[in-house]
């Protein structure tokens, strides 16, 4: 059975994520260590690192990821955005590596009309430089697929593959978001559909380059290019698709991380974790 986890709050100390995850029954963790709508990267003190590492060990080292800020854009030709995006990503990687966590998940950003092929060399160069600056020994840099809104790169699996290949660094992997894939036209609604999408990912990107699943239902329809997450089973994907993904043996070792609105509107909750466990049983 895959590890079922959730995006949780980590206010007033990253170690609070362990308690917040335990409170809803999540066995894998993602946090925003800095506010996602603002520039910035986490800068834990030596004492913070020590305390985090202690509590991480006490919690049994669950899969643990940072989600980087949304402002990062490695794909645009705006010369002001590049240095900030690169240093923010490097800061995230360096902090994640000091803390010993598994990965930094990020959105590559929008090419703003120049097209993926034209944007690829710049993306490659900036990802390489962020890796060079942080030089993580353990933490991986994970490209998340997106919903295909407004020129955002990485909606098609072929683009994920092209970026991973172009950077050519074994520390680069990926994260597959089910809501984003569905909004980009990958039909996850049925058992056969879900299997075909995983087949396609396996063929195009490779399962050895897949580190995590973002497990979200979708409020918007197939191919809508709209990124609106919904609680599991209540959206356009529905339970059958999630049951199939949770039972696909190729994904059995991966963390399935919820980023759903929750039934109280406060984010991933025990009810959504319970739904995934029921579907995975
Ligand atoms: Zn994301
Ligand atoms: Zn996501």
């Amino acid at each position: 059975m895959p590890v079922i986890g959730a995006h949780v709050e980590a206010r007033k100390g990253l170690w609070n994520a362990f308690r917040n995850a335990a409170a809803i029954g999540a066995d894998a963790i993602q946090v925003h260590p800095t506010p996602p709508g603002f520039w910035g990267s986490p800068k834990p003190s030596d004492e913070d690192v020590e305390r985090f590492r202690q509590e991480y060990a006490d919690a049994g080292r669950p899969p643990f990821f940072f989600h980087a800020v949304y402002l990062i854009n490695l794909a645009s030709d705006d010369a002001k955005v590049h240095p900030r995006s690169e240093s923010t990503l490097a800061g995230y990687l360096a902090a994640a590596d000091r803390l010993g966590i598994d990965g930094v998940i990020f959105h590559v950003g929008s090419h703003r009309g120049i097209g993926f092929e034209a944007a690829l060399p710049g993306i490659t160069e900036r990802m390489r430089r962020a890796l060079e600056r942080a030089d993580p020994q353990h933490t991986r840099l994970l490209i998340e697929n997106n919903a295909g809104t407004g020129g955002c790169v990485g909606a098609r699996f072929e683009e994920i593959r092209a970026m991973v290949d172009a950077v050519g660094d074994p520390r680069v992997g990926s994260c597959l978001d089910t809501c984003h894939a569905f909004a980009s036209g990958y039909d996850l609604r049925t058992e056969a559909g879900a299997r075909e999408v995983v087949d396609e990912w396996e063929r195009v990107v490779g399962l050895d380059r897949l580190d995590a699943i973002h497990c979200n239902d979708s409020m918007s329809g197939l191919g809508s290019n709209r990124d609106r997450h919904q609680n599991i089973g209540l959206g356009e994907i529905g339970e059958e698709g999630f049951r199939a993904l949770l039972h696909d043996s190729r994904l059995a070792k991966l963390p399935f991380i919820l980023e759903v609105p929750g039934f109280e509107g406060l984010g991933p909750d025990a009810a959504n974790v319970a739904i995934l466990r029921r579907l995975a049983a």
Side-chain angles (χ1 to χ4, degrees), residues 144 177 180 214 259:
E144 179 174 356
D177 186 306
H180 301 174
H214 276 172
E259 296 175 310

Side-chain angles (χ1 to χ4, degrees), residues 61-86:
R61 295 188 66 83
F64 198 114
F65 302 91
F66 278 166
H67 192 303
V69 300
Y70 296 125
L71 302 176
I72 290 173
N73 188 352
L74 303 184
S76 106
D77 51 7
D78 180 340
K80 274 188 210 137
V81 175
H82 297 158
R84 267 187 149 176
S85 295
E86 211 181 277

